[in-house]
Amino acid sequence: MTKNLDENVDTSQLTDGFHLIVDALKLNGISTIYNVPGIPITDLGRIAQREGLRVISFRHEQHAGYAASIAGFLTQKPGIALTVSAPGFLNGLTALANATTNCFPMILISGSSEREIVDLQQGDYEEMDQLAIAKPLCKAAFRVLHVEDIGIGIARAIRAACSGRPGGVYLDFPAQLLGQVMDKTAGAESLVEVIDPAPAQIPSADAVKRALDVLKSAQKPLLILGKGAAYAQEDALIKTFVEKSGLPYLPMSMAKGLLPDDHAQSAAAARSLVLQEADVVMLVGARLNWLLSHGKGKAWGDAPKQFIHIDIDPGEMDSNRAITAPLVGDIGSCLNALSDEMGKDWQQPPAEWRTRIADKKQGNLEKMASKLKSNAVPMDYHGALGALREVIKDNPEIILVNEGANTLDFARSIIDIYQPRHRLDVGTWGVMGIGQGAAIAAAIETGKQVLAVEGDSAFGFSGMEIETICRYDLPVCVVVFNNSGIYRGTDTNPAGSDVAPTVFVKDSRYELMMQAFGGVGIYATSPDDLNRAVREAIASGKPTLINAIIDEAAGTESGRIGNLNPQSIVMQQASKGKKS
């Protein structure tokens, strides 16, 4: 079926690899590509744009990949990242692995060298066996060698990315494939529209009954909502289940907003209490990984616990703790089944437990309130985030992107979110550098105002993408929490030569970078300044960067996970020894 062009061929009756890729994506409802142009995929971007797809070009492939992964999370369709071969592919690979770890549907498409040259290692331009490298880091990987197989290749990638537990998929397109031609009619017939790529997975009746029996036995139940629950887009069902069951719930960071954070049943402000004292814990779209201390240790207290776990992947059960009631299926099917079986005689959790949580919440919120009203100069994290908290409370439709160390950790507990999928952050790996990619994707996919709040270290990973924000005139306001360093700007080098490894240039003027690209740059030194500047950015909808000056000494080592640094542990132990 593949043809080679010659003078006697009627080219009007032919199509090629470039067009078939675009046609296959359009057939499956994909309308945006995130990419960095270059050999051999530059023309693919041009053709995609001419054919009506939106092509968003970045300055670095990693950030195009992060954007694609967040697009997948927001839309339930695989986000498409397009890169050149070898170095470009490797740059995108970090985002692909991150998407797989976070269960975001994403497809990384990369051009590559020809197989016969790669396999003989003959030294082609950017020669690399990309398929072999990608396989261990994603959910599936495919290579397409013949133009008539493009439709099948893209269909397989879409289904793999979306079905079961979503994740990243790699598609390898050798340069020679892109220019292959075939009959236009046959080409159209070779395309595949993927039907029901993520079919419902119904839990068994026995599993539903077992889960309800365990839940009914609880005196101190707790529901934990993870970002899988946010991805499911079963927002109304989750709200109905939570309120019908009466369960106190703890949202993980990207599940914030499934119910408003000020909801009466939210136990976020009493996190330590509910984790330590709960006797039955129900996990919905959440995993007992490091973000939940693996379900073990001091964070979980000494009280005996039973776990109910809803997950689409049976292999996730018993990964850290024994699961008393595994409920395997998609979140919508599982919660519908539980709701149907609960009946009208369902008893809500004991009033004593609910009152204890409410009292603890009230006490913690009162302790926090005065800190959030601080207007100190330079700002501390509580004062600065307190100002942003009020902005989001008044503008709940804003999508918050958040990354950093202290900037991330404090914001999780301080800034309330009121709508589903309106908080995007570093996710399972805690990876730095997602900020601009996530902000761009959120603005592109939703059309909403985006507020990206980042530490100065985190901003450094993707700061050049503010040019991308300006180029596409996106409603993104970036707030850089500038404390002149990583964690703090006060470290010193005992040798007295170079600056300490964690220290940056003092009084860096990040806002001037945004001005250089035609955006709005603002220098803010107080919470009042910050509050006013963000509100102005929202009102204008213009690309804006606010350089928020934070006290250099305000931060803590690695935010709240300094114990993951071995030297920090040694120093802490030494300090305790001295005190004793």
Side-chain angles (χ1 to χ4, degrees):
M1 296 179 69
T2 304
K3 295 179 181 289
N4 294 314
L5 283 177
D6 60 50
E7 294 180 357
N8 299 318
V9 172
D10 180 3
T11 56
S12 67
Q13 300 304 310
L14 298 178
T15 188
D16 58 22
F18 291 107
H19 288 85
L20 286 172
I21 292 168
V22 172
D23 291 344
L25 294 176
K26 290 175 65 177
L27 179 65
N28 283 286
I30 292 170
S31 58
T32 305
I33 294 173
Y34 299 92
N35 89 131
V36 174
I39 297 172
I41 51 88
T42 307
D43 283 342
L44 180 55
R46 291 184 179 122
I47 292 168
Q49 193 174 57
R50 189 165 65 235
E51 294 297 320
L53 271 69
R54 195 165 189 191
V55 181
I56 307 299
S57 292
F58 284 69
R59 303 300 289 263
H60 193 284
E61 291 91 353
Q62 190 172 114
H63 311 307
Y66 288 142
S69 67
I70 288 298
F73 172 73
L74 291 171
T75 67
Q76 295 185 316
K77 295 180 181 179
I80 305 298
L82 179 63
T83 79
V84 301
S85 50
F89 156 77
L90 290 174
N91 286 341
L93 200 57
T94 300
L96 183 69
N98 186 62
T100 303
T101 300
N102 280 288
C103 309
F104 299 155
M106 168 191 167
I107 299 173
L108 173 64
I109 299 175
S110 295
S112 65
S113 297
E114 307 311 326
R115 291 303 317 150
E116 59 271 22
I117 300 177
V118 171
D119 290 344
L120 283 174
Q121 300 177 23
Q122 293 179 316
D124 199 11
Y125 172 74
E126 295 188 349
E127 174 185 295
M128 179 178 286
D129 191 350
Q130 295 169 197
L131 190 76
I133 293 169
K135 277 184 176 180
L137 301 174
C138 57
K139 190 177 174 188
F142 307 101
R143 176 182 291 124
V144 181
L145 295 177
H146 305 293
V147 68
E148 59 266 26
D149 293 330
I150 286 173
I152 287 291
I154 289 177
R156 294 200 68 189
I158 291 171
R159 193 172 292 280
C162 295
S163 62
R165 173 172 285 180
V169 175
Y170 174 62
L171 262 181
D172 191 277
F173 287 164
Q176 194 176 68
L177 170 76
L178 302 176
Q180 286 181 22
V181 297
M182 67 180 296
D183 178 78
K184 184 180 290 186
T185 301
E189 292 173 352
S190 72
L191 302 182
V192 177
E193 182 177 3
V194 180
I195 307 301
D196 197 13
Q201 297 191 26
I202 312 299
S204 72
D206 288 345
V208 173
K209 182 179 183 304
R210 184 188 304 118
L212 280 177
D213 287 344
V214 172
L215 204 54
K216 287 175 182 177
S217 71
Q219 294 301 302
K220 296 181 176 182
L222 173 65
L223 174 66
I224 298 180
L225 298 170
K227 67 175 176 291
Y231 172 78
Q233 297 197 14
E234 295 285 358
D235 307 335
L237 175 59
I238 289 171
K239 182 177 186 294
T240 298
F241 177 80
V242 169
E243 293 179 344
K244 179 179 180 180
S245 68
L247 297 172
Y249 71 91
L250 185 66
M252 301 302 288
S253 61
M254 284 180 64
K256 286 166 66 72
L258 274 170
L259 289 86
D261 276 339
D262 57 3
H263 193 281
Q265 288 171 244
S266 172
R271 179 186 174 98
S272 295
L273 169 72
V274 293
L275 287 180
Q276 291 176 357
E277 296 193 12
D279 58 357
V280 171
V281 178
M282 182 175 178
L283 300 158
V284 180
R287 294 175 283 187
L288 284 174
N289 55 23
W290 73 276
L291 291 165
L292 283 169
S293 302
H294 309 284
K296 307 170 186 175
K298 293 181 180 179
W300 288 85
D302 298 323
K305 300 186 194 310
Q306 297 185 85
F307 287 90
I308 303 167
H309 195 173
I310 295 178
D311 201 287
I312 203 164
D313 181 7
E316 184 61 35
M317 306 301 171
D318 310 314
S319 58
N320 273 298
R321 289 288 298 266
I323 302 300
T324 307
L327 202 55
V328 178
D330 66 275
I331 287 171
S333 296
C334 290
L335 291 185
N336 267 318
L338 288 170
S339 295
D340 290 345
E341 293 299 319
M342 285 171 74
K344 296 180 180 179
D345 59 345
W346 175 260
Q347 297 294 314
Q348 296 207 344
E352 181 182 354
W353 175 234
R354 287 179 282 154
T355 300
R356 181 157 163 67
I357 295 171
D359 290 345
K360 186 66 173 178
K361 282 172 56 179
Q362 184 64 27
N364 286 341
L365 290 173
E366 288 175 356
K367 289 179 185 178
M368 181 78 73
S370 60
K371 294 181 180 180
L372 300 182
K373 292 179 180 178
S374 168
N375 199 37
V377 177
M379 292 181 273
D380 60 22
Y381 286 96
H382 287 90
L385 290 168
L388 299 181
R389 170 191 171 100
E390 293 305 312
V391 173
I392 294 220
K393 184 177 181 180
D394 293 340
N395 301 272
E397 73 285 351
I398 289 175
I399 295 178
L400 175 68
V401 174
N402 188 206
E403 65 170 333
N406 293 277
T407 306
L408 173 73
D409 293 328
F410 283 113
R412 279 175 174 156
S413 58
I414 290 174
I415 297 180
D416 287 339
I417 303 296
Y418 303 92
Q419 296 181 19
R421 293 166 298 282
H422 277 56
R423 179 187 166 87
L424 308 173
D425 65 29
V426 298
T428 304
W429 264 358
V431 65
M432 288 279 198
I434 60 96
Q436 310 309 309
I440 290 167
I444 292 289
E445 300 295 339
T446 71
K448 294 185 176 182
Q449 174 71 45
V450 177
L451 176 64
V453 181
E454 312 179 30
D456 48 358
S457 174
F459 175 74
F461 284 78
S462 63
M464 194 62 190
E465 300 299 346
I466 62 174
E467 187 273 335
T468 308
I469 292 171
C470 289
R471 192 177 352 130
Y472 293 100
D473 194 26
L474 299 175
V476 175
C477 175
V478 180
V479 177
V480 178
F481 274 27
N482 180 3
N483 67 350
S484 298
I486 301 172
Y487 316 133
R488 294 179 298 268
T490 56
D491 284 4
T492 58
N493 178 359
S497 52
D498 295 332
V499 298
T502 57
V503 173
F504 297 148
V505 171
K506 302 296 184 181
D507 197 30
S508 296
R509 299 301 298 269
Y510 295 110
E511 80 281 5
L512 300 181
M513 293 174 61
M514 184 64 95
Q515 291 179 17
F517 297 120
V520 177
I522 301 173
Y523 188 86
T525 58
S526 73
D528 285 348
D529 288 344
L530 179 57
N531 185 304
R532 183 166 50 251
V534 174
R535 291 181 189 275
E536 289 174 359
I538 293 167
S540 72
K542 295 178 180 178
T544 302
L545 189 148
I546 302 169
N547 188 7
I549 307 304
I550 304 295
D551 185 348
E552 290 185 355
T556 60
E557 177 77 6
S558 296
R560 297 178 188 172
I561 54 172
N563 61 330
L564 298 182
N565 283 333
Q567 183 64 23
S568 295
I569 297 174
V570 172
M571 295 300 289
Q572 289 168 13
Q573 291 172 342
S575 176
K576 289 178 181 178
K578 290 178 182 178
K579 290 179 181 178
S580 62

